[in-house]
Amino acid sequence: MITFKLAKDLTKYLQKQKQNGNSIGFVPTMGALHEGHLSLLKKSNEMSKVTVCSIFVNPTQFNNPEDLKKYPRSVSEDLLLLEENRCDVLFLPDEKEIYADEKSKQKHFDLGYLETILEGKFRPGHFPGVCLVMEKLLKIVNPEFLFLGQKDFQQCLVIQKLVSLLHKATKIIICPILREPGGLAMSSRNLRLSSSNRKLASQLHQTLVSIENRMDGHNFPQLKEQAINDLENMGFQVEYLELARKTDLQILPDFKVKEDLIILVAAFLAGIRLIDNLLINP
Ligand code: AMP
């Protein structure tokens, strides 16, 4: 694996690879890598000749400074995992390399509706920050394929919109959610959960599955109310639990049979914010 800290060196290297006919797959991350990240890497290795992974804890996407301070960091373990999982190129920039000055943080992308719901509503500034860093990373790497996790489903749609606003040809591949044995969606933030809360956290997924199982014969508002009550009684603070159309995240009042649907949830457990979702096919 070759590690680049400077954007211009990486761009030059990748341009040469492209001239030689090699396709580039890109897996952007914030590090503290787990099996979920590695599944993206595996998919990239299957589909592209050269796999690039970036590790950058992007300060502009944290709407809560405390969350940024506490975000898990484990670069030396990450390097080993990347080596073991056939990552070809690591981009490991420092903050100055991405944000040279305050002006570089001021670009705004019009995300429209996507910015007003769910994560956009509860984490103001989060998606603008994601777009800031992704625009820069896409310019530096200019990949043929971009591998993103369904775990952050709304982020996938936001980045899809960004790619179209930038008129880029990059193809986005959304990869399934990897889960721990109890069903908890893998996340770097899980490292901050105590072992008992980690067990409890799997109830978030179980709750979504039980809504899906009871879809026939119940309406969504009923199931939603019951689910929120159950989660709150277990010690979660639920921020949202919504049903939406998969294609554009239009929030739906109730189940519709002929559309691909998704149920999305965000909740705090012991001060740690967890998100999850479940796709429901008609
Ligand atoms: P992060 O480091 O949290 O910014 O995540 C980097 C990428 O890994 C994003 O595209 C995430 O959606 C994806 N990812 C995070 N957790 C999982 C998971 N449990 N399964 C699959 N992909 C994931």
Side-chain angles (χ1 to χ4, degrees), residues 146-229:
L146 176 63
F147 297 88
L148 302 173
Q150 182 206 316
K151 155 106 192 317
D152 301 280
F153 189 78
Q154 191 175 1
Q155 174 171 274
C156 295
L157 297 197
V158 162
I159 295 175
Q160 219 148 33
K161 173 126 194 189
L162 176 73
V163 166
S164 82
L165 289 172
L166 296 170
H167 306 291
K168 288 230 165 247
T170 301
K171 190 164 181 319
I172 292 177
I173 317 291
I174 301 180
C175 304
I177 305 176
L178 255 78
R179 300 184 178 279
E180 297 189 8
L184 173 63
M186 289 181 179
S187 164
S188 307
R189 284 192 173 85
N190 295 350
L191 291 170
R192 293 179 51 209
L193 289 166
S194 67
S195 65
S196 60
N197 278 335
R198 208 160 165 146
K199 261 191 215 132
L200 185 57
S202 63
Q203 288 303 320
L204 212 51
H205 173 61
Q206 304 306 343
T207 301
L208 298 185
V209 172
S210 100
I211 292 177
E212 185 190 22
N213 290 340
R214 295 165 68 207
M215 252 173 78
D216 291 334
H218 289 86
N219 62 39
F220 181 70
Q222 240 174 14
L223 294 175
K224 172 178 167 172
E225 191 184 333
Q226 168 98 60
I228 292 178
N229 272 338

Coordinates of all heavy atoms in Angstrom, one line a residue, residues 146-229:
L146 N -17.4 5.1 -6.7 CA -17.3 5.6 -5.4 C -18.2 4.6 -4.5 O -19.4 4.4 -4.8 CB -17.9 7.0 -5.3 CG -18.1 7.7 -4.0 CD1 -16.7 7.9 -3.3 CD2 -18.8 9.0 -4.1
F147 N -17.6 4.1 -3.5 CA -18.3 3.1 -2.7 C -18.8 3.7 -1.4 O -17.9 4.2 -0.6 CB -17.3 1.9 -2.4 CG -17.0 1.2 -3.7 CD1 -15.9 1.6 -4.5 CD2 -17.8 0.2 -4.3 CE1 -15.5 1.1 -5.7 CE2 -17.5 -0.4 -5.5 CZ -16.3 0.0 -6.2
L148 N -20.1 3.6 -1.2 CA -20.7 4.2 0.0 C -21.6 3.2 0.7 O -22.0 2.2 0.1 CB -21.6 5.4 -0.4 CG -20.9 6.5 -1.1 CD1 -21.9 7.6 -1.6 CD2 -19.8 7.2 -0.3
G149 N -21.8 3.4 2.0 CA -22.5 2.4 2.8 C -24.0 2.8 2.9 O -24.3 4.0 3.2
Q150 N -24.9 1.8 2.8 CA -26.3 2.1 3.0 C -26.6 2.5 4.4 O -27.7 3.1 4.7 CB -27.1 0.8 2.7 CG -28.6 0.9 2.8 CD -29.3 -0.4 3.1 OE1 -28.9 -1.4 2.5 NE2 -30.2 -0.4 4.1
K151 N -25.7 2.2 5.3 CA -25.9 2.6 6.7 C -26.2 4.1 6.8 O -27.0 4.6 7.6 CB -24.6 2.3 7.5 CG -24.3 3.1 8.7 CD -24.6 2.3 9.9 CE -24.5 3.2 11.2 NZ -23.5 4.2 11.2
D152 N -25.5 4.9 5.9 CA -25.8 6.3 5.9 C -26.6 6.6 4.6 O -26.0 7.3 3.7 CB -24.4 7.1 5.9 CG -23.6 6.8 7.1 OD1 -23.9 7.4 8.1 OD2 -22.7 5.9 7.0
F153 N -27.8 6.1 4.6 CA -28.5 6.1 3.3 C -28.8 7.6 2.8 O -28.6 7.8 1.6 CB -29.9 5.4 3.5 CG -30.6 5.2 2.2 CD1 -30.2 4.2 1.3 CD2 -31.6 6.1 1.8 CE1 -30.8 4.0 0.1 CE2 -32.2 5.9 0.6 CZ -31.8 4.9 -0.3
Q154 N -29.1 8.5 3.7 CA -29.4 9.8 3.2 C -28.1 10.5 2.7 O -28.1 11.2 1.7 CB -29.9 10.7 4.4 CG -30.5 12.0 4.0 CD -31.2 12.7 5.2 OE1 -31.2 12.3 6.3 NE2 -31.7 13.9 4.9
Q155 N -27.0 10.1 3.3 CA -25.7 10.6 2.8 C -25.4 10.1 1.4 O -24.9 10.9 0.6 CB -24.6 10.2 3.8 CG -23.2 10.5 3.3 CD -22.2 10.3 4.4 OE1 -21.9 11.1 5.2 NE2 -21.5 9.1 4.3
C156 N -25.8 8.9 1.1 CA -25.7 8.4 -0.2 C -26.4 9.2 -1.3 O -25.9 9.6 -2.3 CB -26.2 6.9 -0.4 SG -25.2 5.8 0.6
L157 N -27.7 9.6 -0.9 CA -28.4 10.4 -1.8 C -27.9 11.8 -1.9 O -27.9 12.4 -3.0 CB -29.9 10.5 -1.4 CG -30.7 9.2 -1.3 CD1 -32.2 9.5 -1.3 CD2 -30.4 8.3 -2.5
V158 N -27.4 12.4 -0.8 CA -26.7 13.7 -0.8 C -25.5 13.7 -1.8 O -25.3 14.6 -2.6 CB -26.3 14.1 0.6 CG1 -25.3 15.2 0.6 CG2 -27.6 14.5 1.4
I159 N -24.7 12.6 -1.7 CA -23.5 12.6 -2.5 C -23.8 12.3 -3.9 O -23.2 12.9 -4.8 CB -22.5 11.5 -1.9 CG1 -22.0 12.0 -0.5 CG2 -21.3 11.4 -2.8 CD1 -21.1 11.0 0.2
Q160 N -24.9 11.6 -4.2 CA -25.4 11.4 -5.5 C -25.7 12.7 -6.1 O -25.4 13.0 -7.3 CB -26.6 10.5 -5.5 CG -26.7 9.5 -6.6 CD -27.5 8.2 -6.1 OE1 -28.4 8.3 -5.3 NE2 -27.1 7.1 -6.7
K161 N -26.4 13.5 -5.3 CA -26.8 14.9 -5.8 C -25.6 15.7 -6.1 O -25.5 16.5 -7.1 CB -27.8 15.5 -4.8 CG -28.1 16.9 -5.0 CD -29.6 17.1 -5.0 CE -30.0 18.5 -5.6 NZ -31.3 18.9 -5.5
L162 N -24.6 15.7 -5.1 CA -23.4 16.4 -5.3 C -22.7 16.1 -6.6 O -22.3 16.9 -7.4 CB -22.5 16.2 -4.1 CG -21.1 16.9 -4.2 CD1 -21.3 18.4 -4.0 CD2 -20.1 16.3 -3.2
V163 N -22.6 14.8 -6.8 CA -21.9 14.3 -8.1 C -22.6 14.8 -9.3 O -22.0 15.3 -10.3 CB -21.9 12.7 -8.1 CG1 -21.5 12.2 -9.4 CG2 -20.9 12.2 -7.0
S164 N -24.0 14.9 -9.2 CA -24.7 15.4 -10.4 C -24.5 16.9 -10.5 O -24.4 17.5 -11.6 CB -26.1 15.0 -10.5 OG -26.9 15.8 -9.7
L165 N -24.5 17.6 -9.4 CA -24.3 19.1 -9.4 C -22.9 19.4 -10.0 O -22.7 20.4 -10.6 CB -24.4 19.7 -8.0 CG -25.8 19.8 -7.4 CD1 -25.7 20.2 -5.9 CD2 -26.7 20.7 -8.2
L166 N -21.9 18.5 -9.7 CA -20.5 18.7 -10.2 C -20.3 18.2 -11.6 O -19.2 18.3 -12.1 CB -19.5 18.0 -9.3 CG -19.5 18.5 -7.8 CD1 -18.6 17.6 -6.9 CD2 -18.9 20.0 -7.8
H167 N -21.4 17.6 -12.2 CA -21.3 17.0 -13.5 C -20.2 16.0 -13.6 O -19.4 16.0 -14.6 CB -21.1 18.1 -14.6 CG -22.2 19.2 -14.6 ND1 -23.5 18.9 -14.9 CD2 -22.1 20.5 -14.2 CE1 -24.2 20.0 -14.7 NE2 -23.4 21.0 -14.3
K168 N -20.0 15.2 -12.6 CA -19.0 14.1 -12.6 C -19.6 12.8 -13.2 O -20.8 12.6 -13.0 CB -18.5 13.9 -11.2 CG -17.6 15.0 -10.7 CD -16.4 14.5 -10.1 CE -15.3 15.6 -9.9 NZ -14.2 15.5 -10.7
A169 N -18.7 12.0 -13.7 CA -19.2 10.7 -14.3 C -19.0 9.6 -13.3 O -19.4 8.5 -13.5 CB -18.4 10.4 -15.5
T170 N -18.5 9.9 -12.1 CA -18.3 8.9 -11.0 C -19.6 8.1 -10.8 O -20.7 8.7 -10.6 CB -17.9 9.6 -9.7 OG1 -16.7 10.3 -10.0 CG2 -17.6 8.6 -8.6
K171 N -19.5 6.8 -10.7 CA -20.6 5.9 -10.5 C -20.7 5.6 -9.0 O -19.6 5.1 -8.5 CB -20.5 4.7 -11.4 CG -21.7 3.9 -11.4 CD -21.7 2.9 -12.6 CE -22.9 2.0 -12.7 NZ -23.5 1.5 -11.5
I172 N -21.8 5.8 -8.4 CA -21.9 5.5 -6.9 C -22.4 4.0 -6.7 O -23.4 3.7 -7.3 CB -22.8 6.5 -6.2 CG1 -22.1 7.8 -6.2 CG2 -23.2 6.1 -4.8 CD1 -22.9 9.0 -5.7
I173 N -21.7 3.3 -5.9 CA -22.1 1.9 -5.6 C -22.5 1.9 -4.1 O -21.7 2.2 -3.2 CB -21.0 0.9 -5.8 CG1 -20.3 1.2 -7.1 CG2 -21.5 -0.5 -5.6 CD1 -21.0 0.9 -8.3
I174 N -23.8 1.6 -3.8 CA -24.2 1.6 -2.4 C -24.1 0.2 -1.9 O -24.7 -0.7 -2.5 CB -25.7 2.1 -2.3 CG1 -25.8 3.6 -2.8 CG2 -26.2 2.1 -0.8 CD1 -27.1 4.2 -2.7
C175 N -23.4 0.0 -0.8 CA -23.1 -1.4 -0.3 C -24.0 -1.6 1.0 O -24.2 -0.7 1.7 CB -21.6 -1.5 0.1 SG -20.5 -1.1 -1.3
P176 N -24.4 -2.9 1.1 CA -25.3 -3.2 2.3 C -24.7 -3.0 3.6 O -23.4 -2.9 3.8 CB -25.6 -4.7 2.1 CG -24.7 -5.2 1.0 CD -24.1 -4.0 0.3
I177 N -25.5 -2.9 4.6 CA -25.1 -2.6 6.0 C -24.5 -3.9 6.6 O -25.2 -4.9 6.6 CB -26.3 -2.1 6.9 CG1 -27.0 -0.9 6.3 CG2 -25.8 -1.8 8.3 CD1 -28.2 -0.5 7.0
L178 N -23.3 -3.8 7.2 CA -22.8 -4.9 7.9 C -23.2 -4.7 9.4 O -23.1 -3.6 9.9 CB -21.2 -5.0 7.8 CG -20.9 -6.2 6.8 CD1 -21.1 -5.7 5.4 CD2 -19.5 -6.7 7.1
R179 N -23.6 -5.9 10.0 CA -24.1 -5.8 11.4 C -23.3 -6.7 12.3 O -22.8 -7.7 11.8 CB -25.6 -6.2 11.4 CG -26.4 -5.3 10.5 CD -27.9 -5.7 10.6 NE -28.7 -4.7 9.8 CZ -29.0 -3.5 10.2 NH1 -28.7 -3.1 11.4 NH2 -29.7 -2.7 9.4
E180 N -23.3 -6.4 13.6 CA -22.8 -7.3 14.6 C -23.7 -8.4 14.7 O -24.9 -8.3 14.3 CB -22.5 -6.5 15.9 CG -21.5 -5.4 15.6 CD -21.0 -4.7 16.9 OE1 -21.4 -5.1 18.0 OE2 -20.3 -3.7 16.7
P181 N -23.3 -9.5 15.4 CA -24.2 -10.7 15.5 C -25.6 -10.4 16.0 O -26.6 -10.9 15.5 CB -23.4 -11.7 16.4 CG -22.0 -11.3 16.2 CD -22.0 -9.8 15.9
G182 N -25.7 -9.5 17.0 CA -27.0 -9.2 17.5 C -27.9 -8.3 16.6 O -29.0 -8.0 16.9
G183 N -27.3 -7.8 15.5 CA -28.0 -6.9 14.6 C -27.6 -5.5 14.6 O -28.0 -4.7 13.7
L184 N -26.8 -5.1 15.6 CA -26.4 -3.6 15.6 C -25.6 -3.3 14.4 O -24.6 -4.0 14.1 CB -25.6 -3.4 16.9 CG -24.9 -2.0 17.1 CD1 -25.9 -0.9 17.2 CD2 -24.0 -2.0 18.3
A185 N -25.9 -2.2 13.7 CA -25.2 -1.8 12.6 C -23.8 -1.4 13.0 O -23.6 -0.6 14.0 CB -25.9 -0.6 11.9
M186 N -22.8 -2.0 12.3 CA -21.4 -1.6 12.7 C -21.2 -0.1 12.5 O -21.6 0.5 11.5 CB -20.4 -2.4 11.9 CG -20.4 -3.8 12.3 SD -19.2 -4.8 11.3 CE -19.4 -6.4 12.0
S187 N -20.4 0.5 13.5 CA -20.2 1.9 13.4 C -19.0 2.2 14.2 O -18.8 1.6 15.3 CB -21.4 2.7 13.9 OG -21.0 4.0 14.2
S188 N -18.1 3.2 13.8 CA -17.0 3.6 14.6 C -17.5 4.0 16.0 O -16.8 3.8 17.0 CB -16.2 4.7 13.9 OG -15.9 4.3 12.6
R189 N -18.6 4.7 16.0 CA -19.2 5.2 17.3 C -19.5 4.1 18.3 O -19.6 4.4 19.5 CB -20.4 6.1 17.0 CG -20.1 7.4 16.5 CD -21.3 8.3 16.5 NE -20.9 9.7 16.1 CZ -20.9 10.1 14.8 NH1 -21.1 9.3 13.9 NH2 -20.5 11.4 14.6
N190 N -19.7 2.9 17.8 CA -20.1 1.8 18.7 C -18.9 1.5 19.7 O -19.2 1.0 20.8 CB -20.3 0.5 18.0 CG -21.5 0.5 17.1 OD1 -22.3 1.5 17.2 ND2 -21.7 -0.5 16.2
L191 N -17.7 1.9 19.4 CA -16.6 1.8 20.3 C -16.8 2.5 21.6 O -16.2 2.2 22.6 CB -15.3 2.3 19.6 CG -14.7 1.5 18.4 CD1 -13.6 2.2 17.8 CD2 -14.2 0.1 18.9
R192 N -17.6 3.5 21.5 CA -17.9 4.4 22.7 C -19.0 3.8 23.6 O -19.2 4.3 24.7 CB -18.2 5.8 22.3 CG -17.0 6.5 21.6 CD -17.4 7.9 21.1 NE -18.0 8.7 22.2 CZ -18.9 9.6 22.0 NH1 -19.3 9.9 20.8 NH2 -19.5 10.3 23.0
L193 N -19.6 2.7 23.2 CA -20.7 2.1 24.0 C -20.1 1.1 25.0 O -19.2 0.4 24.6 CB -21.7 1.4 23.1 CG -22.6 2.2 22.2 CD1 -23.2 1.3 21.1 CD2 -23.7 2.9 23.0
S194 N -20.7 1.1 26.2 CA -20.2 0.1 27.2 C -20.7 -1.3 26.6 O -21.6 -1.3 25.8 CB -20.9 0.4 28.5 OG -22.3 0.2 28.4
S195 N -20.2 -2.4 27.2 CA -20.6 -3.7 26.6 C -22.1 -3.9 26.8 O -22.8 -4.5 25.9 CB -19.7 -4.8 27.1 OG -20.0 -5.0 28.5
S196 N -22.7 -3.5 27.9 CA -24.1 -3.7 28.1 C -24.9 -2.8 27.2 O -25.9 -3.3 26.6 CB -24.5 -3.5 29.6 OG -24.2 -2.2 30.0
N197 N -24.5 -1.6 27.0 CA -25.2 -0.7 26.0 C -25.1 -1.2 24.6 O -26.0 -1.0 23.8 CB -24.8 0.7 26.2 CG -25.5 1.4 27.3 OD1 -26.5 1.0 27.7 ND2 -24.8 2.4 27.9
R198 N -24.0 -1.9 24.3 CA -23.8 -2.4 23.0 C -24.8 -3.5 22.7 O -25.4 -3.5 21.6 CB -22.4 -3.0 22.9 CG -21.8 -2.9 21.5 CD -20.3 -3.0 21.5 NE -19.8 -3.4 20.2 CZ -18.7 -2.9 19.7 NH1 -17.9 -2.1 20.5 NH2 -18.3 -3.3 18.5
K199 N -25.1 -4.3 23.7 CA -26.1 -5.3 23.6 C -27.5 -4.7 23.4 O -28.3 -5.0 22.5 CB -26.2 -6.2 24.8 CG -25.4 -7.5 24.6 CD -25.7 -8.4 25.8 CE -24.4 -9.2 26.1 NZ -24.1 -9.3 27.4
L200 N -27.8 -3.7 24.2 CA -29.1 -3.0 24.2 C -29.2 -2.3 22.8 O -30.4 -2.2 22.3 CB -29.1 -1.9 25.3 CG -30.4 -1.2 25.6 CD1 -31.6 -2.1 25.8 CD2 -30.2 -0.2 26.8
A201 N -28.2 -1.7 22.3 CA -28.2 -1.0 21.1 C -28.8 -1.8 19.9 O -29.3 -1.2 18.9 CB -26.8 -0.4 20.7
S202 N -28.6 -3.1 20.0 CA -29.1 -4.0 18.9 C -30.6 -3.9 18.8 O -31.2 -4.3 17.8 CB -28.6 -5.4 19.0 OG -29.2 -5.9 20.2
Q203 N -31.3 -3.4 19.8 CA -32.7 -3.3 19.8 C -33.2 -2.3 18.8 O -34.3 -2.3 18.3 CB -33.3 -2.8 21.2 CG -33.2 -3.9 22.2 CD -34.0 -5.2 21.8 OE1 -35.0 -5.1 21.3 NE2 -33.4 -6.3 22.1
L204 N -32.3 -1.4 18.4 CA -32.7 -0.4 17.3 C -33.0 -1.2 16.0 O -34.0 -0.9 15.4 CB -31.5 0.5 17.1 CG -31.7 2.0 16.7 CD1 -32.7 2.7 17.6 CD2 -30.4 2.7 16.7
H205 N -32.1 -2.1 15.7 CA -32.4 -2.9 14.5 C -33.6 -3.8 14.7 O -34.4 -3.9 13.8 CB -31.1 -3.7 14.2 CG -31.3 -4.7 13.0 ND1 -31.7 -4.3 11.8 CD2 -31.2 -6.1 13.0 CE1 -31.8 -5.4 11.0 NE2 -31.5 -6.4 11.7
Q206 N -33.6 -4.4 15.8 CA -34.8 -5.4 16.1 C -36.1 -4.6 16.0 O -37.1 -5.2 15.5 CB -34.7 -6.0 17.5 CG -33.4 -6.7 17.8 CD -33.0 -7.8 16.8 OE1 -33.9 -8.2 16.0 NE2 -31.8 -8.2 16.7
T207 N -36.1 -3.4 16.4 CA -37.4 -2.6 16.3 C -37.8 -2.4 14.9 O -39.0 -2.5 14.6 CB -37.2 -1.2 17.1 OG1 -36.8 -1.5 18.4 CG2 -38.4 -0.4 17.0
L208 N -36.8 -2.1 14.0 CA -37.1 -1.9 12.6 C -37.7 -3.2 12.0 O -38.6 -3.2 11.2 CB -35.9 -1.4 11.8 CG -35.3 0.0 12.3 CD1 -34.2 0.4 11.3 CD2 -36.4 1.1 12.3
V209 N -37.0 -4.3 12.4 CA -37.4 -5.6 11.8 C -38.8 -5.9 12.3 O -39.7 -6.4 11.5 CB -36.4 -6.7 12.3 CG1 -37.0 -8.1 11.9 CG2 -35.1 -6.5 11.7
S210 N -39.1 -5.6 13.6 CA -40.5 -5.9 14.1 C -41.5 -5.0 13.4 O -42.7 -5.5 13.1 CB -40.5 -5.9 15.6 OG -41.1 -4.7 16.0
I211 N -41.2 -3.8 13.0 CA -42.2 -3.0 12.3 C -42.4 -3.7 10.9 O -43.6 -3.8 10.5 CB -41.6 -1.5 12.1 CG1 -41.6 -0.8 13.4 CG2 -42.5 -0.8 11.0 CD1 -41.0 0.6 13.3
E212 N -41.3 -4.1 10.3 CA -41.5 -4.7 9.0 C -42.4 -6.0 9.1 O -43.3 -6.2 8.3 CB -40.1 -5.1 8.4 CG -40.3 -5.7 7.0 CD -39.0 -6.3 6.4 OE1 -38.1 -6.7 7.2 OE2 -38.9 -6.4 5.2
N213 N -42.1 -6.8 10.1 CA -42.9 -8.0 10.3 C -44.4 -7.8 10.6 O -45.2 -8.7 10.3 CB -42.3 -8.9 11.5 CG -41.0 -9.4 11.1 OD1 -40.6 -9.5 9.9 ND2 -40.2 -9.8 12.1
R214 N -44.7 -6.6 11.1 CA -46.1 -6.3 11.5 C -46.8 -5.4 10.5 O -47.9 -4.9 10.8 CB -46.1 -5.8 12.9 CG -45.6 -6.8 13.9 CD -45.3 -6.2 15.3 NE -46.5 -5.7 15.9 CZ -46.5 -4.7 16.8 NH1 -45.4 -4.1 17.1 NH2 -47.6 -4.3 17.3
M215 N -46.1 -5.2 9.4 CA -46.7 -4.3 8.3 C -48.1 -4.6 7.9 O -48.9 -3.8 7.8 CB -45.8 -4.3 7.1 CG -44.9 -3.1 6.9 SD -43.8 -3.5 5.5 CE -44.9 -3.3 4.1
D216 N -48.3 -5.9 7.7 CA -49.7 -6.4 7.3 C -50.6 -6.3 8.5 O -50.3 -6.8 9.5 CB -49.6 -7.8 6.8 CG -48.9 -7.9 5.5 OD1 -48.8 -6.9 4.8 OD2 -48.3 -9.0 5.2
G217 N -51.7 -5.6 8.3 CA -52.7 -5.5 9.3 C -52.5 -4.3 10.3 O -53.3 -4.1 11.2
H218 N -51.4 -3.6 10.2 CA -51.2 -2.4 11.1 C -50.9 -1.2 10.2 O -50.4 -1.3 9.1 CB -50.0 -2.6 12.0 CG -50.3 -3.6 13.1 ND1 -50.0 -5.0 12.9 CD2 -50.7 -3.5 14.4 CE1 -50.4 -5.6 14.0 NE2 -50.8 -4.8 14.9
N219 N -51.2 0.0 10.7 CA -50.8 1.2 10.0 C -49.5 1.7 10.6 O -49.2 1.4 11.7 CB -51.9 2.2 9.9 CG -52.3 2.7 11.3 OD1 -51.5 2.9 12.2 ND2 -53.6 3.0 11.5
F220 N -48.8 2.4 9.8 CA -47.4 2.9 10.2 C -47.5 3.8 11.5 O -46.7 3.6 12.4 CB -46.7 3.5 9.1 CG -45.3 4.0 9.5 CD1 -44.3 3.0 9.8 CD2 -45.0 5.3 9.7 CE1 -43.0 3.4 10.3 CE2 -43.7 5.7 10.2 CZ -42.8 4.8 10.4
P221 N -48.4 4.8 11.6 CA -48.4 5.6 12.8 C -48.6 4.8 14.1 O -47.9 5.1 15.1 CB -49.7 6.5 12.5 CG -49.8 6.6 11.1 CD -49.4 5.2 10.5
Q222 N -49.4 3.7 14.0 CA -49.6 2.9 15.2 C -48.2 2.2 15.6 O -47.8 2.2 16.7 CB -50.5 1.7 14.8 CG -51.8 1.6 15.5 CD -52.6 0.5 14.9 OE1 -52.2 -0.3 14.0 NE2 -53.9 0.5 15.3
L223 N -47.6 1.6 14.5 CA -46.4 0.9 14.8 C -45.3 1.8 15.2 O -44.4 1.5 16.1 CB -45.9 0.1 13.5 CG -46.9 -1.0 13.0 CD1 -46.4 -1.6 11.7 CD2 -46.9 -2.1 14.1
K224 N -45.3 3.0 14.7 CA -44.3 4.0 15.0 C -44.4 4.4 16.5 O -43.4 4.5 17.2 CB -44.4 5.2 14.1 CG -43.5 6.4 14.4 CD -43.7 7.6 13.5 CE -43.1 8.8 14.0 NZ -43.1 9.9 13.0
E225 N -45.6 4.7 16.9 CA -45.8 5.1 18.3 C -45.4 4.0 19.3 O -44.7 4.3 20.2 CB -47.3 5.4 18.5 CG -47.6 6.1 19.8 CD -49.1 6.4 20.0 OE1 -49.8 6.5 19.1 OE2 -49.5 6.4 21.2
Q226 N -45.8 2.8 19.0 CA -45.4 1.7 19.8 C -43.9 1.5 19.9 O -43.3 1.4 20.9 CB -46.0 0.4 19.2 CG -45.5 -0.9 19.8 CD -46.5 -1.4 20.9 OE1 -47.6 -1.6 20.6 NE2 -46.0 -1.5 22.1
A227 N -43.2 1.6 18.7 CA -41.8 1.4 18.6 C -41.1 2.5 19.4 O -40.1 2.2 20.1 CB -41.3 1.5 17.1
I228 N -41.5 3.8 19.3 CA -40.8 4.8 20.0 C -41.0 4.6 21.5 O -40.0 4.8 22.3 CB -41.3 6.2 19.5 CG1 -40.9 6.5 18.1 CG2 -40.8 7.4 20.4 CD1 -41.3 7.8 17.4
N229 N -42.2 4.3 21.9 CA -42.5 4.0 23.3 C -41.6 2.9 23.8 O -40.9 3.1 24.9 CB -43.9 3.6 23.5 CG -44.8 4.7 23.7 OD1 -44.4 5.8 24.1 ND2 -46.1 4.6 23.5

